[in-house]
Amino acid sequence: MSYRIYDERSGAVVPLETVVNGRVSIYCCGLTVQASPHLGHMRWEVVFDVLRRWLRASGHQVTMVVNVTDINDKIETKARDRGLEWYQVAYEVELELHRARAALGITPPDYEPRASGHIPDQIALIARLIDAGHAYPAADGSGDVYFDVRSWPRYGELTRQNIADMHDDDEAPARAKRDPHDFALWKGAKPTDPPTATWDSPWGRGRPGWHLECSAMATKYLGDTFDIHGGGLDLRFPHHENEQAQAQAAGYGFARHWMHNAFVTMANEKMSKSLGNGAQVMQVVRRTPGRAVRLYLAAPHYRSTIDFSDDALDEATAQIGRIDTYLARCGVAERATFDAADLPSAFTDALDDDLGTPAAFACLFDTIRAGHKALDAGDAPAADDALRVVRAMLHVLGLDPYDPEWADAPGAGPDLTDTVDGLVRLVLDQRALARERKDWDAADRLRDRLGALGLRIADGPTGARWTLDR
């Protein structure tokens, strides 16, 4: 295939190699369900949704797995503070994640395994690492099991670091480790752990470490070797580095390519739960249409940082307005039949080159402008061609308001463009009546009011036509 991707391990843009021709397998580290999802979480969801749509539009079969980390210390603490079980808090936040996806038109993954549902797979992976000489039970009787980083010469390969330059892993007491960089595969039960949050194992009762969970679930659903492992840049180290090390030390090929998106920041600080500066998705979509939020997250290149601001969301909303004004002018009233052959080369070349969405969006808006010009000139064949191309591009970008993903999204469903056109037509009808009465002042006031909103009115033999000033 012709798709090229920036591979984190090599630090270069390289061709995407697939395990089986025509099939692409993707694993992404999903949300730790301890707090409501914010835009930082949803950026990678939107990025990989566009990637999956593009690969499928290119004729490839795509399998996407996104895990849910539903058990950890922070979830237990929140549950204890609220007088709930850990799994009640985890499931509550997981449902919020699903609502956030729906609000942004994100297609659910093919599989969404929970960490707590794969304990036997995780125990088996630990045993395999111990047998291979790459892991050891702690000698302090804690029940912990650690990965021995010094036993794996390729440790640090993903992030291109030497062990001496890495910070110590502080997830477990250094006294129990052979090396401060060793990380926990299994954590022995603590007196504060609720009984439902620990499981029996050959090393004592406890629960798996975070890094191990993802390696076990990725190989469970996608096999020994798969194509792309993705997620936010904050997971690059230590999480993804440790995932790769333990999986390959256990004998798996694991991910062929690693793909990371940059942060969404607020006042130039990474958006995160711990900093308390996250813009929660469901709060944001109360004031900004979901399609506009999706455009805001998708339009910049995925490896560039986005800074959150009301002005940026307002600009994205204006861009959605340009799209919907065009669709309304064309009289769109239903979902289009999508054909990849309709996509222009400027669009396909952009997405083939490491998901180059900035150039893809530029092509979209260039085509919308061409479509307006064709409508202005009364060139029906050219206008029809432009509309077909625009709908094809919107489908790949996940922004066509008539696609099923937007059916239940507030303010984004199939009636939006009809509503825009209907409201403008209502004013134009009032203006036409004023002109019939020869009330030129009233007619001019209505025209000027529409002009102040960015609409240009052109009178013709068949009546008034409107376009958005571009």
Side-chain angles (χ1 to χ4, degrees):
M1 64 186 299
S2 60
Y3 186 79
R4 286 158 46 84
I5 183 174
Y6 178 84
D7 179 50
E8 191 69 51
R9 185 164 44 206
S10 63
V13 177
V14 299
L16 173 64
E17 301 171 3
T18 55
V19 177
V20 178
N21 188 35
R23 298 175 182 270
V24 182
S25 48
I26 303 173
Y27 183 88
C28 289
C29 292
L31 187 66
T32 298
V33 283
Q34 66 190 55
S36 301
H38 56 63
L39 292 186
H41 298 129
M42 303 313 291
R43 186 181 186 188
W44 78 258
E45 293 255 12
V46 170
V47 165
F48 279 87
D49 190 53
V50 174
L51 174 64
R52 177 170 45 164
R53 285 170 170 270
W54 172 233
L55 292 173
R56 285 178 173 167
S58 302
H60 300 282
Q61 295 181 10
V62 183
T63 301
M64 187 165 181
V65 179
V66 178
N67 79 289
V68 172
T69 298
D70 62 342
I71 179 70
N72 75 356
D73 291 339
K74 291 180 179 179
I75 295 173
E76 290 178 20
T77 299
K78 287 180 180 291
R80 190 162 47 246
D81 291 345
R82 294 176 58 190
L84 300 172
E85 294 286 351
W86 61 271
Y87 48 81
Q88 292 176 294
V89 171
Y91 188 57
E92 178 182 285
V93 177
E94 186 179 338
L95 291 178
E96 288 188 51
L97 170 63
H98 294 166
R99 287 192 288 270
R101 281 185 184 143
L104 301 185
I106 297 166
T107 306
D110 299 293
Y111 302 99
E112 192 173 18
R114 299 188 185 106
S116 64
H118 294 76
I119 302 299
D121 303 299
Q122 295 153 10
I123 290 174
L125 179 55
I126 296 171
R128 185 166 174 156
L129 286 166
I130 292 174
D131 291 344
H134 296 298
Y136 59 93
D140 63 354
S142 63
D144 293 349
V145 181
Y146 299 102
F147 183 84
D148 184 354
V149 297
R150 299 285 178 179
S151 74
W152 186 244
R154 291 163 54 191
Y155 187 68
E157 178 185 67
L158 175 61
T159 52
R160 302 185 295 284
Q161 299 184 86
N162 295 317
I163 291 180
D165 299 327
M166 299 177 186
H167 62 73
D168 297 348
D169 186 283
D170 57 3
E171 198 178 9
R175 59 178 171 75
K177 302 178 184 180
R178 296 175 183 171
D179 185 287
H181 300 94
D182 293 351
F183 57 88
L185 302 174
W186 186 262
K187 298 179 178 181
K190 303 185 296 293
T192 56
D193 289 337
T196 56
T198 60
W199 292 265
D200 290 329
S201 82
W203 315 284
R205 197 159 179 86
R207 60 180 173 83
W210 175 38
H211 312 306
L212 184 96
E213 294 170 350
C214 290
S215 293
M217 287 185 282
T219 52
K220 167 82 172 183
Y221 288 89
L222 295 177
D224 292 4
T225 304
F226 54 94
D227 299 311
I228 300 173
H229 195 313
L233 190 62
D234 55 327
L235 300 180
R236 181 173 172 265
F237 184 87
H239 185 50
H240 287 170
E241 185 71 70
N242 292 350
E243 270 194 76
Q244 175 175 274
Q246 65 199 6
Q248 292 185 341
Y252 300 120
F254 210 55
R256 280 195 160 104
H257 302 285
W258 292 82
M259 183 176 174
H260 296 105
N261 62 273
F263 301 132
V264 176
T265 60
M266 185 176 289
N268 296 315
E269 284 193 276
K270 171 199 164 192
M271 193 173 285
S272 70
K273 295 188 290 285
S274 60
L275 292 176
N277 63 354
Q280 292 185 7
V281 176
M282 300 313 293
Q283 292 179 356
V284 173
V285 298
R286 288 192 184 104
R287 69 165 293 267
T288 303
R291 285 169 61 233
V293 178
R294 181 185 175 100
L295 186 150
Y296 158 76
L297 294 173
H301 194 273
Y302 76 91
R303 289 194 283 120
S304 63
T305 299
I306 306 175
D307 196 52
F308 175 81
S309 70
D310 288 341
D311 287 346
L313 290 178
D314 289 344
E315 173 60 25
T317 302
Q319 290 178 302
I320 288 295
R322 291 171 62 192
I323 293 169
D324 288 350
T325 297
Y326 172 69
L327 295 179
R329 190 182 178 203
C330 293
V332 173
E334 60 185 16
R335 184 184 179 195
T337 300
F338 170 68
D339 188 340
D342 293 327
L343 293 168
S345 59
F347 183 86
T348 61
D349 290 347
L351 293 186
D352 271 343
D353 188 13
D354 194 29
L355 205 65
T357 52
F361 273 92
C363 181
L364 169 68
F365 286 108
D366 284 347
T367 309
I368 287 175
R369 282 190 288 271
H372 278 299
K373 289 180 180 178
L375 289 169
D376 292 342
D379 187 344
D384 290 343
D385 287 344
L387 176 60
R388 187 172 61 254
V389 171
V390 166
R391 296 294 297 280
M393 289 189 281
L394 289 175
H395 176 80
V396 172
L397 297 170
L399 291 171
D400 190 322
Y402 299 96
D403 277 353
E405 288 80 9
W406 296 110
D408 299 321
D415 60 338
L416 181 59
T417 54
D418 295 337
T419 300
V420 172
D421 184 57
L423 291 172
V424 176
R425 291 289 172 194
L426 182 63
V427 177
L428 291 178
D429 288 345
Q430 295 300 313
R431 178 173 174 267
L433 290 173
R435 286 164 61 88
E436 286 178 12
R437 298 192 307 268
K438 300 188 184 305
D439 187 350
W440 309 117
D441 288 341
D444 288 347
R445 283 198 300 272
L446 290 170
R447 181 199 61 203
D448 293 344
R449 290 290 299 273
L450 291 173
L453 296 172
L455 299 176
R456 181 159 52 92
I457 308 304
D459 293 305
T462 60
R465 292 181 290 107
W466 64 273
T467 56
L468 186 69
D469 262 341
R470 302 175 294 285

